[in-house]
Structures are given as C-alpha cells and as structure tokens.
Amino acid sequence: MNQYFITGISTEVGKTIASAIITEALEADYWKPIQSGDLDFSDTDKVKSLISNKKTTFHPSSYSLQTPMSPHASAEIDGVNIELDNIIEPTTSNHLVIEGAGGVLVPLNEKHLLINIIKPYYKIIVVSRHYLGSINHTLLTLNILKRGGVDVSLIFSGNEHKTTEDIITKMSGVPVIGRIEEEPYFDKNVIKEYANLFRKKL
C-alpha cells in the first residue's frame, strides 16, 4: 500500500479537494497531521463530506490548532510546541492520503518545516493553481522535492492557463495527473467523477 502526501504551492490552491478526489479514487484512508483553524469544519470534515466509499478511515490530526495561520504561529498562540516525534503516521493496511498544511516550507516550529515530516517513500502530489508568481512557486516546490529524491507528480487546479502549465511541465519534467477545473461546486458526485478520471494515473 502507498502513502500519498498532498501539498500545494501556496494556500487556497485546492489541496483539500485534491485530497478528497485521491481518497475517493483509491478508497484510501485520510490523515491531516496538522490542522490550523476551522476546527468546527476541518479539512478532515470536508473530505469526509465529499467521499462516497465506505472503506475510508479518517485518522485524527496530531495537532488541531485554533488559529488559521502558519502552524508555528498558530501553535504559539495556543501555547503548544509542535514536536516531530508527536506526528506519528497512523497504522493502516490501506492506502493513506496525507494532506499537508500550506506549502512544503511552512514552518512547524523554530527548527522544522513541513517538508521534515515527509518520508522518503511517500508519493508526493503537488497542487498548482495559476496566479502571478505561480510558475516560480511551483518550480521551487517541485525542485526542492525532487532534490530529496522522492516520487513527485502534479495536479493543476482551476481554469487552464496554457503558457504557465506548458513551461512548468517542460522545465520540471514532472508527470501531470490531471486538472481539477473551476467547478461551480464540489459534491460527492463531482468528486467521484474526478476520482474515476485520475485513478489510472495514481
């Protein structure tokens, strides 16, 4: 069984929707190690509301923080310190989808970044969404992950921007799983349609 780590080039690029699609496609388990803010309807709750299969198990976050900020800052407000030893991958005989927080260089504490919880055997999926500066953010993210020797692929999110996507694909050499379009809404049926489209490339 494989572990899929979903990260993004920034915030609000579509990581949670991508995580729901991949979870549904593989009927995988889901785990959000660090949740910052939105505890009343967390990313785990969002994914749970979007999938249809009955096989997925949702594992509790290692840290659930009150404030929607970088984990290190949110933890400081809550009076806690994020320790890597407390971020323990759940044991499962199923595939596991792991949703990151922000990008791979988001700080967790004064010494560690999100990338420090990524294991060498994870399959990394980077979600990229077009905005001014997204080429730079995408290539930086992909290059630092590739330097670590991990398996990296890409999902584009939002309306197509051909020149941006072509240069990212050409310069990175990273395989593209597919695109999540700018849908008017996402529900279980839409997620299932994307799951069927992406499954073969996972």
Side-chain angles (χ1 to χ4, degrees), residues 71-182:
H72 82 288
S74 185
E76 183 176 352
I77 291 169
D78 281 9
V80 301
N81 187 55
I82 295 175
E83 301 283 353
L84 295 194
D85 289 345
N86 293 334
I87 302 174
I88 302 169
E89 181 185 312
T91 301
T92 176
S93 58
N94 195 9
H95 294 297
L96 179 65
V97 171
I98 306 162
E99 183 179 350
V104 293
L105 297 186
V106 164
L108 303 181
N109 52 42
E110 292 183 355
K111 295 181 179 179
H112 300 109
L113 306 166
L114 189 76
I115 197 169
N116 295 126
I117 72 171
I118 294 176
K119 310 296 187 191
Y121 54 85
Y122 286 175
K123 292 180 177 291
I124 316 298
I125 298 175
V126 175
V127 182
S128 176
R129 186 179 183 89
H130 172 76
Y131 53 81
L132 189 61
S134 66
I135 295 173
N136 182 52
H137 292 164
T138 304
L139 292 177
L140 283 170
T141 299
L142 294 173
N143 286 343
I144 196 168
L145 288 167
K146 286 164 63 181
R147 201 181 309 154
V150 294
D151 181 323
V152 187
S153 55
L154 190 61
I155 287 176
F156 288 113
S157 171
N159 294 328
E160 182 179 21
H161 198 279
K162 187 168 173 29
T163 56
T164 295
E165 294 168 19
D166 284 352
I167 197 67
I168 289 170
T169 304
K170 183 176 182 179
M171 294 192 77
S172 71
V174 167
V176 178
I177 293 171
R179 158 188 309 290
I180 303 170
E181 300 288 352
E182 194 73 32

Side-chain angles (χ1 to χ4, degrees), residues 8-20:
I9 63 168
S10 185
T11 58
E12 305 300 324
V13 295
K15 289 191 309 297
T16 302
I17 293 296
S19 297

